[in-house]
């Protein structure tokens, strides 16, 4: 038994309930990070600017690509492009979340975060969840508003599966984006460059605008390891009325990809951060 | 002229210091790949000209919206606008020097886009009407710079400038018919497109890449010039209004 008045350092002893306490404390930190991120987001957008700014842009983006199908005079192409580019909105917004994580440095709050006893990666992983949720909502809005306008028929009730699948695509891209946020944490000045280049690269490589089978085999393999690809195929399968086993296989693959990117993000974030601390490249208010 | 060149020099230094300004030079080749893939997959190699032109407009518009459009605002954020206004050289000339440089740098995207198309897809972009093409590029760049001056001034006045610049990309790509010609858009939207100079210049550039004869070239080029001049006029007028207003209220660097 340890005397409470004994001032000597105590050996670290794990107690029953420590794990539970950790989980609760991480959940609390994550919740505060989400709320903080949401407040940041609504400082940028009001409801009016969200509708007339973001929504108009999103509808235009999906229409821009769907109209290519009209130019090609092909309904199948129109619908393929529409679905792909509506779903990619969820992934693009999740990638925008990279701005939320690196903004900790710009705001000068990174030093406080590093000094706190909680794990910074929990904050970084939760900070942009709100952006991802907004992206998923926008993506579904685009799909269900523009789909009928471009002659796309949604098979009910199976089309409801598109909702969790879009969420999965958004979450998967968010895991990937959190990993990239760790990589570029020390290079805040290129965040915009990385975010934009990542989004366009994902649009090119993830079967958004052409089927994955169009790529050379080596590129198809890379594509399957990226977020979006498998989840988007599952969404196309649902709308096209494909067999449940095919949908399940694509969904499973997207889940696997998301888990791998999340694990990578969790394991490498600390390494990138400590490297930045060691060489002093994590300036706290740039 | 010296003030104009000073603006140009400082803008080039900004490109070196802030790599984010180079975003379109990374995204334009990727858009080129995306459009080329779509047309190849559909077996429509005849639409190569469309895929070659659109990414250039995306790059130029991005530069106008995010680099040029924020020129005055960043001067304020950097705390240099007071010195710029107080200096004996013309404020507008320095700003125009910066904006012109940004617009001219955008020409690089032509080479990039067409180079990527050639390298990856073996697509050769041929200019069938060289002089009309060159004239359209020059007038388009001037119109882009004029529009950017308008944005740079209006962004200082507008409270939602960030939201506008984040949102004004794809709506203008659709209205401007940079990839899908305006003739494919619904009828009700076409009058709006006519007021966007991008629609006239995109049509002209695509026509210059096709072997068939170009019709009403002078009129269409004139429309690009006219709409660009309107943008410049709005920009110069609002810049004057801003300067008068903030000098009178003493809020030059803070509003």
């Amino acid at each position: 038994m340890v005397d409470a008045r004994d001032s000597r350092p105590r050996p670290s002893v794990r107690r029953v309930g420590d794990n539970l306490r950790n989980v609760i404390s991480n959940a609390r930190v994550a919740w505060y990070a989400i709320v903080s991120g949401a407040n940041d987001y609504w400082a940028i957008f009001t409801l009016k600017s969200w509708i007339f700014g973001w929504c108009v842009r999103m509808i235009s983006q999906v229409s821009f690509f769907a109209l290519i199908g009209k130019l090609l005079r092909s309904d199948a192409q129109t619908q393929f492009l529409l679905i792909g580019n509506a779903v990619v909105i969820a992934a693009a917004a999740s990638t925008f979340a990279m701005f939320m994580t690196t903004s900790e440095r710009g705001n000068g709050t990174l030093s406080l975060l590093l000094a706190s006893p909680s794990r910074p990666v929990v904050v970084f992983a939760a900070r942009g969840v709100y952006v991802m949720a907004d992206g998923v909502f926008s993506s579904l809005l685009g799909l269900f508003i523009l789909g009928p306008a471009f002659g796309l028929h949604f098979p009910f009730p199976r089309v409801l599966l598109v909702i969790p699948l879009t969420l999965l695509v958004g979450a998967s891209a968010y895991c990937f984006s959190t990993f990239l946020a760790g990589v570029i944490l020390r290079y805040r000045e290129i965040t915009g460059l990385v975010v934009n280049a990542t989004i366009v690269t994902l649009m090119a490589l993830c079967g958004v605008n052409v089927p994955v089978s169009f790529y050379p085999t080596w590129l198809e393999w890379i594509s399957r390891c990226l977020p979006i690809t498998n989840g988007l195929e599952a969404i196309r399968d649902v709308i096209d009325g494909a067999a449940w086993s095919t949908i399940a296989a694509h969904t499973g693959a997207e889940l696997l990809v998301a888990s791998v990117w999340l694990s990578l993000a969790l394991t490498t974030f600390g390494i990138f951060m400590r490297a930045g601390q060691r060489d002093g490249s994590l300036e706290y208010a740039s | 002229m010296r003030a104009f060149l000073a603006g140009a020099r400082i803008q080039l230094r900004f490109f070196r210091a802030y790599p984010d300004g180079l975003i379109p030079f990374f995204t334009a080749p990727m858009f080129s790949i995306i459009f080329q893939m779509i047309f190849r997959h559909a077996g429509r190699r005849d639409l190569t000209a469309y895929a070659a032109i659109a990414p250039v407009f995306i790059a130029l518009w991005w530069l106008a919206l995010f680099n040029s459009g924020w020129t005055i605002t960043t001067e304020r954020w950097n705390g240099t606008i007071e010195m710029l206004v107080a200096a004996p050289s013309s404020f507008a000339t320095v700003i125009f020097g910066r904006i012109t440089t940004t617009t001219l740098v955008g020409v690089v995207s032509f080479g990039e886009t067409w180079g990527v198309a050639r390298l990856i897809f073996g697509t050769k972009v041929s200019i069938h009407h060289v002089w009309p093409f060159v004239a359209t590029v020059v007038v388009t760049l001037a119109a882009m710079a004029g529009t950017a001056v308008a944005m740079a001034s209006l962004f200082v006045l507008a409270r939602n400038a960030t939201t506008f610049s984040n949102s004004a990309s794809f709506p203008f790509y659709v209205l401007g018919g940079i990839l899908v010609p305006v003739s494919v858009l619904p009828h009700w939207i076409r009058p709006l497109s006519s007021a966007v100079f991008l629609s006239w210049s995109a049509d002209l550039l695509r026509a210059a890449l096709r072997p068939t004869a170009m019709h009403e070239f002078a009129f269409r080029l004139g429309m690009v010039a006219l709409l660009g001049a309107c943008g410049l006029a709005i920009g110069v007028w609002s810049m004057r209004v801003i300067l008068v207003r903030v000098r009178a209220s003493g809020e030059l660097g803070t509003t």
Side-chain angles (χ1 to χ4, degrees), chain B residues 3-241:
Chain B
F4 180 87
L5 290 176
R9 268 199 305 275
I10 197 75
Q11 187 57 40
L12 288 174
R13 286 185 191 164
F14 267 116
F15 275 123
R16 278 178 58 194
Y18 300 104
D20 272 3
L22 303 171
I23 286 172
F25 303 113
F26 285 83
T27 54
M30 293 308 294
F31 275 117
S32 172
I33 291 171
I34 291 171
F35 300 147
Q36 294 282 353
M37 280 195 307
I38 293 172
F39 293 141
R40 285 203 158 225
H41 176 249
R44 295 290 304 271
R45 295 190 183 205
D46 56 311
L47 296 175
T48 299
Y50 290 69
I53 292 299
V56 176
F57 277 106
I58 291 177
L60 288 173
W61 188 251
W62 196 98
L63 286 168
L65 208 57
F66 288 96
N67 275 18
S68 306
W70 287 91
T71 306
I72 299 178
T73 310
T74 47
E75 294 285 0
R76 299 170 79 203
W77 287 346
N78 293 337
T80 46
I81 196 162
E82 292 92 342
M83 288 175 269
L84 202 54
V85 170
S89 55
S90 157
F91 172 74
T93 310
V94 176
I95 295 297
F96 197 61
R98 286 188 60 185
I99 288 175
T100 307
T101 308
T102 303
T103 311
L104 286 176
V105 166
V107 177
V108 172
S109 58
F110 270 107
E112 272 190 316
T113 303
W114 295 6
V116 163
R118 184 70 193 260
L119 206 67
I120 299 181
F121 299 99
T123 306
K124 192 182 170 201
V125 181
S126 306
I127 303 171
H128 290 279
H129 305 278
V130 177
W131 290 111
F133 179 85
V134 173
T136 308
V137 169
V138 170
V139 177
T140 298
L141 291 176
M144 197 68 84
T147 309
V149 172
M151 286 182 195
S153 307
L154 294 172
F155 283 7
V156 179
L157 292 175
R159 295 178 77 185
N160 283 330
T162 316
T163 315
F164 176 79
S165 52
N166 279 328
S167 310
S169 50
F170 279 94
F172 280 91
Y173 301 160
V174 174
L175 278 178
I178 63 162
L179 181 64
V180 177
V182 176
S183 55
V184 180
L185 301 181
H187 286 278
W188 59 268
I189 217 170
R190 292 182 199 172
L192 267 177
S193 290
S194 308
V196 179
F197 83 88
L198 294 173
S199 65
W200 297 92
S201 55
D203 265 352
L204 275 177
L205 286 180
R206 279 193 293 261
L209 299 185
R210 281 194 298 261
T212 47
M214 292 177 79
H215 301 292
E216 297 177 325
F217 172 71
F219 169 71
R220 290 151 78 190
L221 191 68
M223 283 306 292
V224 180
L226 177 70
L227 291 168
C230 287
L232 183 65
I234 292 171
V236 170
W237 174 78
S238 33
M239 205 183 285
R240 276 193 194 139
V241 169

Side-chain angles (χ1 to χ4, degrees), chain A residues 61-84:
Chain A
Q61 182 170 342
V62 180
S63 303
F64 176 80
F65 285 96
L67 281 166
I68 301 175
K70 293 281 178 202
L71 175 69
L72 299 171
R73 296 199 182 107
S74 157
D75 287 342
Q77 287 277 357
T78 303
Q79 288 161 15
F80 185 92
L81 290 164
L82 188 144
I83 296 170

